Amino acid sequence: MENERGGHERPNGKGAEVAVVKGQALYKQVAREMRKAIARGTWTPGEKIPTEDKLTALYGVSRPTIRQAVAELRADGLLDVQQGRGTFVRGPQPEHNATINIERTVICNGDQYHCPAGWQDAEEPTVYRVRLEPSAAATLETDEGEAAFLVQRLYTHESSGVRARYSGLLPMEQITSTVLAQRPEVFNTDAYAALAAAHGPIEWHEGVSARMPNPDERAALHVPENTPLLVSQRVTRTQADARPLMLETLTMTGAATQLTITHRPVNRERI
């Protein structure tokens, strides 16, 4: 391998065989050999690759060269850096022609509600008593600092294996006369039924946005680096006066993910 001083150097340790490419940057030559290790199965999907020290010994190059090579493979989607844990080989990702369809429609049958999304709890839900922050208070059209329950869940989609984070904010003033005051952790469909029983017919306003994940989200949702998240935010409102009753946020990978929401015409007399 051509070294950083223009000469040649051979890998140390177990010694990867390196085909010299004249005029090619040293880190690119290292990246090429690392790609071969992944392709051969030397480093398997989900496996943590060797440390920087071991890689410098293996390829006989400096730390900056290894970092540049790792950065190139990260950009190519082959490696995933997890803060505080190390660098891992990425597992197989959905093909762009294999879109994951997430159904977000709410079906109402009498006083029962159903969401055909197929989510399952990946762990036990957690419930906190909180004070509403400014952005949530604005969405719920109430005062900052108002008391609320925060329900958090980690879901797995049963057909695709996609993981999603769910959070539900239930303002205390809207649930005091419902079973949600004692059991805020019930599924959202049960929450819809409880809110409708207390406040009359309900409807939903839903918006979808995209952003890059933070390290905690990447770890919890198994989202590779440089993959955006889809964030679906749903507000349950009364039909009579569009009063917000609950705020739900569902966060999941944006890779080949499609959200489907069914809309029906609203009677103009109710607008």
Side-chain angles (χ1 to χ4, degrees):
M1 181 185 293
E2 191 174 337
N3 66 24
E4 294 157 300
R5 295 180 298 279
H8 293 270
E9 57 188 2
R10 303 299 300 176
N12 299 321
K14 294 183 180 178
E17 289 297 325
V18 179
V20 175
V21 179
K22 291 187 178 296
Q24 186 180 61
L26 180 57
Y27 79 89
K28 286 186 174 293
Q29 298 181 53
V30 174
R32 185 182 67 244
E33 296 308 316
M34 293 174 72
R35 284 191 189 92
K36 290 180 181 178
I38 294 172
R40 288 193 300 262
T42 304
W43 301 335
T44 58
E47 180 181 350
K48 183 177 178 180
I49 69 171
T51 63
E52 276 189 2
D53 286 341
K54 291 182 179 179
L55 289 173
T56 57
L58 177 63
Y59 294 111
V61 296
S62 65
R63 280 175 173 264
T65 297
I66 292 297
R67 289 170 188 162
Q68 284 181 290
V70 169
E72 178 162 308
L73 268 63
R74 286 170 59 190
D76 289 347
L78 295 176
L79 295 179
D80 181 24
V81 177
Q82 298 182 15
Q83 191 69 31
R85 296 188 60 206
T87 302
F88 296 78
V89 179
R90 281 184 63 180
Q93 301 299 306
E95 298 292 337
H96 290 293
N97 61 357
T99 301
I100 301 164
N101 184 53
I102 306 297
E103 178 67 58
R104 294 287 290 153
T105 301
V106 180
I107 298 172
C108 178
N109 183 12
D111 59 356
Q112 300 296 311
Y113 295 84
H114 176 58
C115 297
W119 296 109
Q120 297 178 334
D121 275 321
E123 57 186 40
E124 290 294 318
T126 55
V127 179
Y128 305 93
R129 289 178 177 268
V130 299
R131 297 287 177 178
L132 293 177
E133 297 181 352
S135 60
T139 301
L140 290 166
E141 298 177 13
T142 189
D143 295 330
E144 177 185 348
E146 285 293 312
F149 277 126
L150 170 63
V151 181
Q152 293 185 327
R153 315 179 94 102
L154 181 63
Y155 283 138
T156 300
H157 193 246
E158 60 185 13
S159 63
S160 65
V162 167
R163 291 161 72 91
R165 263 185 173 175
Y166 170 92
S167 68
L169 276 171
L170 296 155
M172 294 294 188
E173 63 179 344
Q174 306 295 358
I175 66 171
T176 51
S177 60
T178 74
V179 297
L180 299 173
Q182 287 74 43
R183 296 187 58 222
E185 75 281 2
V186 298
F187 284 107
N188 59 348
T189 49
D190 294 324
Y192 299 155
L195 292 171
H199 300 284
I202 56 176
E203 62 186 19
W204 300 270
H205 293 197
E206 187 150 3
V208 180
S209 60
R211 61 174 173 79
M212 298 306 292
N214 61 43
D216 285 345
E217 290 171 325
R218 288 181 49 232
L221 302 179
H222 300 174
V223 176
E225 192 172 14
N226 299 323
T227 299
L229 297 177
L230 283 182
V231 182
S232 175
Q233 193 169 71
R234 172 182 289 176
V235 180
T236 302
R237 297 175 177 267
T238 59
Q239 288 187 15
D241 55 6
R243 178 162 40 98
L245 302 175
M246 178 170 67
L247 171 62
E248 300 172 271
T249 303
L250 191 68
T251 306
M252 72 206 83
T253 178
T257 301
Q258 173 179 294
L259 301 184
T260 299
I261 305 170
T262 300
H263 301 274
R264 292 185 174 88
V266 176
N267 189 324
R268 182 171 288 277
E269 293 180 357
R270 296 203 333 238
I271 297 178

